[in-house]
Amino acid sequence: MKILLPVDGSACSDEAVAFVASRSTLIGAQPEIDLLNVQLPIPPRAARAVGSEIVRDFHDKDARAVLKPALATLAKAGLQASGRHRVGSPGATVAAAAADADLVVMGSHGHSSFKGLLFGSVTNAVLSGCRTPLLVMRGARSPVRDSLTVGIALDGSGYGLAAVRYVVRQRALFGAEPVLHLIHVVPDLFGIVIPGLGDAPAPLYRPEQVLASQDQAFDKALAPARKLLDKAQLGYKEVRLTGNTVGDEIATYATRRKLDLLVMGSHGHGLLKSAVLGSVATRLAARCRTPLLLIRET
């Protein structure tokens, strides 16, 4: 497995390094781990004033200060890694480097300059610039045990199924005996409100119709995932949540059950062109700190 680890010396970046270190016995024989530090360019006028050699030394020194402790953390866990730095736009540089990786693990500083973007500007740029699976650490401590408790969000689409396929394909990453929670949110048809009739839910369906509809939706969403996991001989727990705001329901469940990781497919662009997460992932990211592994394929 080739893992790209963008590092900047922040606490969130340190958690990304700690997560990879915690998986040292699980990520395959001789994993290729690439630490990348991206330095912002010095303004041209200042660079001309001090000279190219001083600018180069400045970038080298800053990069060493970030890369050295990260390399030491991985070495302590028995993992060899390479470290390098580049000068340029962090998001675009990381996205370009991610094209050759199997997984990107990086910390997110939280909100960007736009209120609607739940990840920092660098993370958003990476999401929009490549299709490589991306694990975003959001401030939660890295698990120290071998086997993880992993939630897989399913919506019946190819994106959700891609998340399951990734877990099967990279099963060692999640431990010898991971506890998988297949999560699907069925609509709360009892709680539908008709505009103009106040805030009281409208009884549009009989109770037996609602239950039958929810059962059908749940089975349809989980059926393909069951086949894949049964074939791979991976055990799982089926989780049926009810609500009309899917991201909120999954976030509440992940927090309450203290999941180590959430895996989900991303449908791509949200309301803003630069908000590459779909609405479910965006709401989920806003409401829990659980590490989020986003699969951008179908």
Side-chain angles (χ1 to χ4, degrees), residues 119 127 131-134 150-167 183 246-247 250 262-269 276-284 292-298:
F119 292 141
L127 279 165
R131 310 296 291 181
T132 305
L134 173 63
V150 180
I152 306 177
L154 299 171
D155 60 0
S157 72
Y159 295 94
L161 197 58
V164 178
R165 284 197 297 266
Y166 185 87
V167 171
I183 306 170
V246 176
I250 296 175
L262 274 168
V263 187
M264 68 181 302
S266 172
H267 291 231
H269 293 281
V276 297
L277 292 178
S279 59
V280 173
T282 299
R283 292 188 70 89
L284 197 158
L292 186 58
L293 174 55
L294 296 163
I295 310 300
R296 301 290 315 286
E297 61 187 21
T298 54

Side-chain angles (χ1 to χ4, degrees), residues 74-117:
L74 295 173
K76 187 177 180 180
L79 292 170
Q80 292 186 340
S82 61
R84 59 193 171 108
H85 79 276
R86 295 288 183 269
V87 178
S89 168
T93 303
V94 172
D100 296 326
D102 298 309
L103 175 66
V104 181
V105 183
M106 64 186 296
S108 172
H109 294 235
H111 290 273
S112 72
S113 56
F114 294 98
K115 186 177 180 181
L117 305 187

Side-chain angles (χ1 to χ4, degrees), residues 161-180:
L161 197 58
V164 178
R165 284 197 297 266
Y166 185 87
V167 171
V168 171
R169 189 167 62 246
Q170 303 291 352
R171 59 192 298 171
L173 180 65
F174 306 98
E177 297 181 359
V179 179
L180 304 181

